[in-house]
Amino acid sequence: MRVGVLGGGLQGCCIALALVARGIPVVLYDRNNRLLSRAAIANEGKIHLGYMYANDPSRSTARMMMQGALAFAPFFARYLELPADALALSRPAAYVVHRDSQRSVEQVAHYLADVHALLREASEGRRDAYFGHDLSGDLRPWSDAEREEAFDPSIALAVFDSPEVAIDPLALAELVRRRIAQEPAIEVRLNHDVTSVEDDGSGFAVCATAESYQRERFDHVVNALWDGRFVINEKRGLRPGRPWLHRLKYGVSFRLPEHVPLPPSATFVSGPFGEVVSYRDGLTYLTWYPVCLKAISSEVAPPHWQTYPAEPLHSELLEGTLQAMAQFVPSLRNVDVAELQDVTVKGGAIVAWGATDIYDPASELHRRFEIGVTSTGNFHSVDPGKLTMAPYFADVCAARIAGSSAP
Ligand SMILES: Cc1cc2nc3c(=O)[nH]c(=O)nc-3n(C[C@H](O)[C@H](O)[C@H](O)COP(=O)(O)OP(=O)(O)OC[C@H]3O[C@@H](n4cnc5c(N)ncnc54)[C@H](O)[C@@H]3O)c2cc1C
């Protein structure tokens, strides 16, 4: 059996690793000249435990996220031979209820406690699964004094500790690239723009344009193209019967000057806000939705959005985000942009079901559980929904392919 995996983002790379571990050779396609060059590295690497999704009252998104989060470190421990705690690089996030939150402080507090109880249940007997962190403690509410010191208390109405951490996606990408380069059963086809997947009687032909037109035969094909996924599915007659949005979102990261205290990792809920991720190595990542959301597309294929924006957008995002967040994170006040080191501005597409933006509390974007592997015969389309979920769905997809009878 031979499998064509379309898309060398984190989802495609994880599927390739999970397939070869089951003895199945893979050809991995990407249109760029490097694996892991798009959304996989354009994010802040938060490994979601579900606390963010207070606008999904069913708790289904939280349940889904914790399933992915608890599979994340074990997957890389298995396939990259990394110790469980090797990837946890940020300080745990405090959850902050913003003054304009779509949920009240009481609702958020109740939601967080509920999710944490579900997490304790889900992690029983797997205490080390989340980067070796102990998940058995309570979500401690901050005292007024602590809240007033770290944030503007008129905007940050309540703060709760959480155990949620972020990995550094660039560091992870480098480890994954190295592992794939060492794996003879994964053939990588870079600079191959996949244009269609055609039935050829007993299997599929992946059609791609590289230096010349290429056509290659496989028994199974996995579509893990993220923002390129719908185009290929549609050519196979698989058009979703519901609305979706591609949103272009950016984030900025830098090292603060030594005299500036590092801000706490903080996620502002519930609505169009953002977060501060404070990595243990001193890097600070910021994203603020009203500044960093730059485009929305409901087309089958979104425009080709740049991962690293050029000027003047680069400066606009850096200065705008810093200015917006400095209003309620005092340690970001009086920071001179010229003093920042290692500045990066990066972003990418977020693909999700929904017709309205998250300013609408009823938007489907506030839910993220109708995701995963959809198989039509031996053609598998994978929507990870979040980086968090990629390893989990990789094992689901690989197990499905390995368990199917070869044609
Ligand atoms: C700003 C931002 C912040 C985010 N923060 C988080 C977070 O903190 N936590 C979290 O869990 N998730 C987060 N996400 C979501 C997460 O990044 C994505 O869910 C995940 O990376 C998508 O899967 P992927 O890595 O496989 O996608 P990608 O990296 O986009 O991989 C898809 C690959 O397919 C290739 N491709 C596309 N079309 C074609 C074609 N026709 N032919 C050949 N190749 C093609 C692309 O070049 C690309 O390499 C964030 C996303 C953004 C944009």
Side-chain angles (χ1 to χ4, degrees):
M1 190 197 293
R2 243 171 127 240
V3 179
V5 175
L6 319 182
L10 194 69
Q11 185 62 83
C13 289
C14 287
I15 290 170
L17 289 170
L19 283 168
V20 295
R22 289 167 173 82
I24 300 170
V26 168
V27 175
L28 179 59
Y29 289 85
D30 203 283
R31 59 157 64 121
N32 284 349
N33 60 8
R34 197 164 197 229
L35 292 175
L36 299 143
S37 63
R38 296 286 285 168
I41 48 134
N43 62 82
E44 71 269 31
K46 182 193 262 287
I47 305 306
H48 286 271
L49 289 166
Y51 304 119
M52 179 121 114
Y53 291 93
N55 275 357
D56 174 5
S58 72
R59 316 288 191 252
S60 301
T61 305
R63 282 197 186 84
M64 176 64 83
M65 289 300 135
M66 60 186 77
Q67 203 165 18
L70 294 173
F72 199 95
F75 182 96
F76 292 110
R78 209 158 54 239
Y79 296 119
L80 301 184
E81 290 161 26
L82 290 179
D85 62 354
L87 291 171
L89 291 172
S90 83
R91 296 194 278 163
Y95 269 73
V96 183
V97 185
H98 191 278
R99 182 176 60 192
D100 302 325
S101 169
Q102 293 166 351
R103 300 274 143 184
S104 68
V105 168
E106 291 68 32
Q107 286 171 320
V108 172
H110 184 68
Y111 173 79
L112 291 176
D114 255 22
V115 168
H116 197 60
L118 289 172
L119 178 63
R120 277 200 191 124
E121 213 178 289
S123 61
E124 213 165 294
R126 310 158 69 188
R127 282 271 163 83
D128 286 341
Y130 193 66
F131 308 102
H133 285 214
D134 181 4
L135 302 171
S136 62
D138 288 324
L139 298 184
R140 188 184 70 89
W142 286 24
S143 68
D144 287 349
E146 287 172 296
R147 182 167 60 92
E148 280 157 24
E149 194 185 323
F151 305 106
D152 176 338
S154 70
I155 293 179
L157 300 188
V159 185
F160 302 86
D161 271 339
S162 92
E164 198 171 72
V165 290
I167 54 106
D168 175 350
L170 288 167
L172 176 63
E174 192 46 42
L175 292 167
V176 172
R177 274 185 217 112
R178 262 192 243 154
R179 177 71 187 83
I180 287 182
Q182 291 162 355
E183 179 50 71
I186 303 178
E187 281 177 57
V188 179
R189 306 255 190 283
L190 296 174
N191 301 308
H192 279 60
D193 196 337
V194 176
T195 51
S196 64
V197 176
E198 293 169 8
D199 289 355
D200 79 349
S202 59
F204 301 99
V206 169
C207 306
T209 48
E211 276 173 5
S212 59
Y213 175 73
Q214 309 273 323
R215 198 180 149 93
E216 205 165 341
R217 196 199 161 273
F218 299 97
D219 303 303
H220 287 252
V221 169
V222 180
N223 180 355
L225 294 170
W226 189 234
D227 55 337
R229 198 169 56 93
F230 289 144
V231 180
I232 301 301
N233 286 357
E234 186 169 77
K235 287 186 183 167
R236 297 191 54 72
L238 305 169
R239 190 183 173 94
R242 57 193 296 190
W244 65 85
L245 292 174
H246 293 99
R247 288 172 296 154
L248 169 63
K249 196 177 97 170
Y250 287 99
V252 305
S253 62
F254 46 75
R255 281 174 211 287
L256 289 161
E258 272 180 20
H259 61 89
V260 176
L262 288 178
S265 288
T267 300
F268 295 84
V269 290
S270 190
F273 306 119
E275 51 207 316
V276 180
V277 184
S278 201
Y279 291 94
R280 285 192 198 143
D281 68 356
L283 199 74
T284 300
Y285 176 99
L286 307 178
T287 184
W288 191 245
Y289 201 80
V291 178
C292 295
L293 198 277
K294 282 291 168 205
I296 297 193
S297 163
S298 57
E299 297 298 311
V300 174
H304 186 78
W305 289 321
Q306 295 300 315
T307 305
Y308 296 100
E311 292 295 358
L313 185 55
H314 174 103
S315 295
E316 195 186 295
L317 285 161
L318 176 63
E319 287 159 27
T321 307
L322 197 55
Q323 203 177 29
M325 299 191 89
Q327 288 173 31
F328 48 88
V329 184
S331 56
L332 298 174
R333 279 180 200 152
N334 308 319
V335 170
D336 179 354
V337 172
E339 279 188 295
L340 299 175
Q341 301 284 314
D342 298 340
V343 173
T344 305
V345 179
K346 59 182 181 176
I350 301 176
V351 188
W353 303 124
T356 56
D357 201 355
I358 59 172
Y359 292 89
D360 171 9
S363 167
E364 278 189 274
L365 295 180
H366 294 293
R367 308 197 284 273
R368 205 60 62 81
F369 60 89
E370 292 155 295
I371 53 178
V373 186
T374 306
S375 303
T376 313
N378 288 355
F379 180 81
H380 314 273
S381 178
V382 187
D383 174 8
K386 295 295 252 181
L387 189 86
T388 302
M389 299 303 304
Y392 175 78
F393 289 137
D395 271 331
V396 170
C397 187
R400 192 173 295 177
I401 292 172
S404 69
S405 49

